[in-house]
């Protein structure tokens, strides 16, 4: 067994949790741990041998070996597909902890739960064993429910209960599909090891009916977890009720688990089932573009609008995966990073607006740019990223997805869904620009003007801005990351593309 630096990504948040439970200051300890992981993730991106692709920093440690059951190993490693998601996890975790208040009640529990979410997401992305791939994700869901239920906003109990039911149902269906996949192999060849499982299936493909059934289970399981239409209704109210840091971590990171699972497991191992179920997948992702897009336009509150917008953008990711060509899948990976950054920005800034103004309804907001110009600038950047404006990370990913769908070899994909996706960018521009107008421009309600006891206007601010470096830094960090990827997408594409081209059944890009 060789030591892997990836193990440090798991040990650092675990160590921070132990220190916090031992009465160390919660927020500084969590922040230091997140910063260490961020530096390590950037270093891994820099030193990864992108040109050759494939897994690197692999560690394989036997964990459980019971007679009659496939052995379970702590098998970890990253390639050009998972490494960008490791970086996304690290940077969003740091930003989420940095924007969280230091005086929140039960702060030790709160920051431990945030670290557990990050630990679970990180473990899922680096796991090369199906058991740990699934367990780490479930490990991240438990603190998600608790954070919403304990520290959430209005309707937090209902939202937490609804999120729990939906995501547990999705996890059970996903578990059934993963178990069926392993059990479909002859007893001597059954394994949880993703690499060994893929190698065996390449030489011994499953029967057509088996593939159809198992792929359908995985599609529904992953679809519920990511908010694929029509299994999306848990997401907007859940995010609206969640603490901003929780929404940042779940929408920015954990929702990518399902897309990653489709790329890593479902389609490569069940390619015939994928082709048979492709009409279903395309129909459902069209629902994300059209239904979720129009519902987003009808929202009257900022957090639920951002929640539905996040659901809508899952359609782009599924479209990139459905192309199953190098440019489309590479675009989906780049867009996962871009969307993770923009979603984290929007949910964090939405929390700032709600906290500082005491309102989240468009009808009760307006003119806040007069009192919070920096907040207006940051929110405008986040909105432009969500709209796919050139120069920001989402644009590069969406453009690759569009090109991938136009050149897809699958006849039924055709240009129609690419056109729907392009139309989706128009809807996004409409509701994001409307949000900017309603929140920051127009007439500012009188209650945001500071008054003294006699009712006279005071010189001191009523509605405060994010004015200090500590307040601005997390959002600026996410914006800078989006700008770097947007202006220099080759930095990420040259890491992603070689590993994508190694996926089974991937057509030659030329």
């Amino acid at each position: 067994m060789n030591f892997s630096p990836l193990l440090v990504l798991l040990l650092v948040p675990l160590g921070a949790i132990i220190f916090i439970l031992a009465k160390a200051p919660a927020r500084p300890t969590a922040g230091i741990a997140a910063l260490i992981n961020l530096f390590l993730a950037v270093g891994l991106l820099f030193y990864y041998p992108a040109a050759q692709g494939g897994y690197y920093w692999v560690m394989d440690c036997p964990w459980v070996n019971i007679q009659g059951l496939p052995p379970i190993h702590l098998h970890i490693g990253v390639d050009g597909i998972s490494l960008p998601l490791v970086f996304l996890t690290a940077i969003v975790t740091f930003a989420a902890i940095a924007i969280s208040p230091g005086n929140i009640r039960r702060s030790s529990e709160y920051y431990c739960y945030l670290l557990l979410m990050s630990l679970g997401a990180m473990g899922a992305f680096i796991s090369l064993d199906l058991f740990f791939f699934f367990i780490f994700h479930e490990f991240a869901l438990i603190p998600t429910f608790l954070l919403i239920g304990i520290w959430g906003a209005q309707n937090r109990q209902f939202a937490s209960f609804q999120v729990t039911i939906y995501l547990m149902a999705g996890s059970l269906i996903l578990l059934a599909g993963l178990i069926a996949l392993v059990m479909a192999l002859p007893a001597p060849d059954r394994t949880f090891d993703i690499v060994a499982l893929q190698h065996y299936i390449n030489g011994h493909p499953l029967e057509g009916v088996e593939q159809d059934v198992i792929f359908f289970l995985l599609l529904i399981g992953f679809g519920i977890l990511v908010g694929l239409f029509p299994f999306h209704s848990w997401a907007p109210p859940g995010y609206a009720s969640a603490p901003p840091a929780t929404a940042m971590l779940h929408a920015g990171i954990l929702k990518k688990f399902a897309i990653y699972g489709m790329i890593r497991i479902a389609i490569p191992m069940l390619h015939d089932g994928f082709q048979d179920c492709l009409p279903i997948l395309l129909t459902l992702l069209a629902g994300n573009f059209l239904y979720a897009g129009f519902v987003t336009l009808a929202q009257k509150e900022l957090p639920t609008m951002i929640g539905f917008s996040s659901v809508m953008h899952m359609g782009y990711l599924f479209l990139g995966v459905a192309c199953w060509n190098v440019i489309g899948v590479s675009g989906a990976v780049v867009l996962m990073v871009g969307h993770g950054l923009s979603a984290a920005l929007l949910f964090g800034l939405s929390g700032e607006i709600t906290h500082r103004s005491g309102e989240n309804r468009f009808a009760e907001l307006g003119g806040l740019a007069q009192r919070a110009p920096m907040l207006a600038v940051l929110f405008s950047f986040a909105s432009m990223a969500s709209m796919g404006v050139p120069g920001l990370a989402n644009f590069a990913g969406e453009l690759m997805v569009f090109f991938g769908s136009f050149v897809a070899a699958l006849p039924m994909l055709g240009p129609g869904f690419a056109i729907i996706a392009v139309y989706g960018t128009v809807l996004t521009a409409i509701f994001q620009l409307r949000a900017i107008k309603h929140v920051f421009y127009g007439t500012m309600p009188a209650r945001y003007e500071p008054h003294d006891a006699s009712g006279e206007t005071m010189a001191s601010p009523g509605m405060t801005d994010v004015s200090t470096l500590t307040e601005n830094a997390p959002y600026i960090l996410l914006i800078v990351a989006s700008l770097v990827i947007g202006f220099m997408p080759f930095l990420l594409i040259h890491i992603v593309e070689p590993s994508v081209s190694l996926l089974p059944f991937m057509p030659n890009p030329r």
Side-chain angles (χ1 to χ4, degrees):
M1 179 188 72
N2 297 323
F3 176 80
S4 170
L6 300 175
L7 192 61
V8 179
L9 293 170
L10 304 180
L11 294 177
V12 166
L14 183 60
I17 291 169
I18 293 172
F19 275 109
I20 292 172
L21 294 178
K23 304 304 181 183
R27 188 169 183 261
T29 303
I32 291 171
L35 188 61
I36 292 172
N37 267 7
L38 177 56
F39 279 120
L40 179 56
V42 172
L44 293 174
L45 276 175
F46 183 78
Y47 285 106
Y48 176 71
Q52 68 188 47
Y55 295 111
Y56 210 66
W57 298 299
V58 175
M59 187 183 82
D60 191 353
C61 176
W63 192 64
V64 172
N65 193 353
I66 301 175
Q67 188 174 5
L69 292 176
I72 301 173
H73 288 210
L74 180 59
H75 188 191
I76 59 177
V78 290
D79 65 354
I81 301 171
S82 54
L83 187 54
L85 299 177
V86 168
F87 165 73
L88 176 66
T89 302
I91 192 170
V92 172
T93 298
F94 177 76
I97 289 172
I99 65 104
S100 297
N103 59 351
I104 194 169
R105 61 189 177 93
R106 299 164 64 175
S107 61
S108 295
E109 293 177 56
Y110 177 84
Y111 285 100
C112 282
Y113 290 151
L114 290 182
L115 288 170
L116 284 173
M117 285 184 70
S118 177
L119 172 62
M122 194 74 78
F125 291 136
I126 68 174
S127 290
L128 297 179
D129 185 279
L130 280 180
F131 176 83
F132 281 105
F133 171 79
F134 179 81
I135 289 298
F136 270 119
H137 178 259
E138 298 308 296
F139 198 64
L141 290 184
I142 295 171
T144 304
F145 308 145
L146 295 172
L147 284 162
I148 297 174
I150 299 173
W151 290 276
Q154 58 183 358
N155 300 321
R156 63 180 181 272
Q157 298 299 333
F158 172 78
S160 176
F161 187 64
Q162 185 182 46
V163 169
T164 302
I165 290 175
Y166 266 92
L167 296 188
M168 285 295 101
S171 295
L172 288 174
I173 296 171
L174 174 61
L175 179 61
L178 295 176
I179 292 174
L181 177 61
V182 173
M183 298 304 292
L185 275 59
D189 299 304
R190 289 172 186 163
T191 178
F192 290 119
D193 188 283
I194 293 175
V195 179
L197 189 63
Q198 181 65 70
H199 179 73
Y200 180 87
I201 289 177
N202 283 350
H204 308 83
L206 302 182
E207 295 293 331
V209 175
E210 283 183 315
Q211 288 206 31
D212 290 348
V213 172
I214 297 172
F215 182 85
F216 184 75
L217 288 173
L218 295 182
L219 174 62
I220 299 303
F222 283 132
I224 294 174
L225 296 178
V226 80
L228 179 65
F229 174 85
F231 314 111
H232 64 282
S233 60
W234 61 269
Y239 293 147
S241 298
T246 306
M248 291 171 69
L249 287 171
H250 196 280
I253 302 170
L254 282 176
K255 283 180 80 171
K256 311 305 180 288
F257 166 82
I259 304 296
Y260 175 72
M262 294 290 292
I263 297 172
R264 177 69 71 208
I265 298 168
I267 300 178
M269 298 187 188
L270 304 161
H271 194 258
D272 290 344
F274 157 66
Q275 290 182 317
D276 291 341
C277 293
L278 186 58
I280 298 174
L281 175 57
L282 293 174
T283 301
L284 297 184
L285 70 84
N288 278 76
F289 284 124
L290 300 177
Y291 177 82
F294 284 112
V295 170
T296 307
L297 288 174
Q299 296 309 302
K300 302 183 184 303
E301 296 181 357
L302 182 61
T304 51
M305 188 217 78
I306 298 172
F308 275 105
S309 172
S310 179
V311 169
M312 176 190 173
H313 279 80
M314 293 303 102
Y316 293 101
L317 298 177
F318 270 107
L319 180 60
V321 172
C323 297
W324 203 247
N325 52 28
V326 172
I327 187 171
V329 176
S330 298
V333 177
V334 173
L335 186 54
M336 278 195 275
V337 178
H339 176 268
L341 296 172
S342 63
L345 266 168
L346 285 169
F347 279 113
L349 292 169
S350 171
E352 293 281 1
I353 293 167
T354 302
H355 173 71
R356 293 168 186 273
S357 70
E359 268 294 348
N360 59 27
R361 294 172 293 176
F362 290 132
E364 301 298 325
L365 293 166
L368 298 189
Q370 301 173 46
R371 287 287 174 187
M374 188 63 185
L375 194 57
V377 170
L378 294 173
F379 191 86
S380 297
F381 261 103
S383 296
M384 286 189 288
S386 182
M387 287 186 279
V389 171
L392 292 160
N394 292 47
F395 173 76
E398 289 178 6
L399 191 64
M400 293 175 71
V401 168
F402 296 156
F403 286 153
S405 59
F406 273 114
V407 302
L410 299 169
M412 68 181 66
L413 191 59
F417 288 92
I419 294 171
I420 293 174
V422 172
Y423 182 67
T425 63
V426 177
L427 293 178
T428 304
I430 292 172
F431 57 68
Q432 289 294 162
L433 291 173
R434 187 192 69 159
I436 294 172
K437 172 182 177 294
H438 280 303
V439 175
F440 293 105
Y441 299 100
T443 303
M444 184 172 65
R447 65 178 174 278
Y448 297 130
E449 291 281 5
H451 294 83
D452 60 17
S454 65
E456 294 294 325
T457 301
M458 301 168 57
S460 60
M463 165 73 190
T464 58
D465 198 3
V466 282
S467 54
T468 67
L469 179 62
T470 304
E471 293 172 331
N472 285 322
Y475 304 116
I476 293 174
L477 177 65
L478 295 176
I479 289 172
V480 168
S482 185
L483 285 169
V484 169
I485 297 171
F487 277 98
M488 296 180 286
F490 62 87
L491 293 175
L492 196 55
I493 294 170
H494 96 280
I495 293 174
V496 174
E497 193 174 60
S499 292
V500 169
S501 65
L502 295 176
L503 290 170
F505 311 107
M506 181 61 66
N508 190 298
R510 294 176 178 80

